[in-house]
Structures are given as C-alpha cells and as structure tokens.
Amino acid sequence: MAHNATGRVERLCVRKDNCFIRLRSVPIEPLENYFQLPIGHANYGSLYALALACALNDLPLTVRTETDIIAGQQANIRYLVVDF
C-alpha cells in the first residue's frame, strides 16, 4: 500500500472541523474520494493555503497520509508537497 498520492486538486470541501481534498486521477481513492485535513492539524492553515494555491494554479499536489491509503477508508493528511 501507499502513503502518498499525487494529482490535481479537483475539489476542496471546507467544513468547521476539517477540510476535505479531492484529487483527480489517483490510483487508490480513499473514503468518498477525499483526503481529510483535520482543523486540529498543527499546520492546518499552511496546508490549506497550499492546497488552494495548487487548485487555483492547476498544479499537481502530493498528499502524504498518516497511514496506508486503502480504497474506501478514511485517509488523514500528514503533509502536502508541491513541485514547481
């Protein structure tokens, strides 16, 4: 199994307790095709801003998760990476 996935941001769903990020064309899709960024994450603001910048500029975003990405199961974000 993999701990990361890379794709272009297809959707950001921001709620009061977390932000869900959907990427296009990832080989393994987590629960409802969303990677979850909990608001309690130490770098929530910076990671959200990075995801938004990637979405606006159509850049590929790499999501690194806390555990293996398993189809149909929740995938919590550990950190995000973008290459320019």
Side-chain angles (χ1 to χ4, degrees):
M1 291 286 148
H3 279 274
N4 64 329
T6 302
R8 300 205 185 273
V9 178
E10 183 175 73
R11 174 182 273 184
L12 294 174
C13 179
V14 182
R15 300 175 64 173
K16 68 178 181 176
D17 54 350
N18 53 40
C19 173
F20 293 104
I21 301 171
R22 181 181 290 167
L23 302 179
R24 257 180 289 178
S25 304
V26 292
I28 303 170
E29 296 178 341
L31 181 64
E32 297 179 3
N33 302 332
Y34 284 113
F35 294 93
Q36 182 174 321
L37 177 60
I39 198 161
H41 191 289
N43 288 324
Y44 177 86
S46 297
L47 295 176
Y48 172 76
L50 183 61
L52 181 60
C54 287
L56 293 172
N57 293 291
D58 200 32
L59 295 170
L61 178 68
T62 299
V63 174
R64 176 75 174 181
T65 57
E66 295 287 344
T67 59
D68 285 338
I69 301 168
I70 300 171
Q73 291 190 12
Q74 183 172 315
N76 287 327
I77 294 172
R78 183 171 180 190
Y79 61 85
L80 302 174
V81 176
V82 63
D83 291 317
F84 295 96

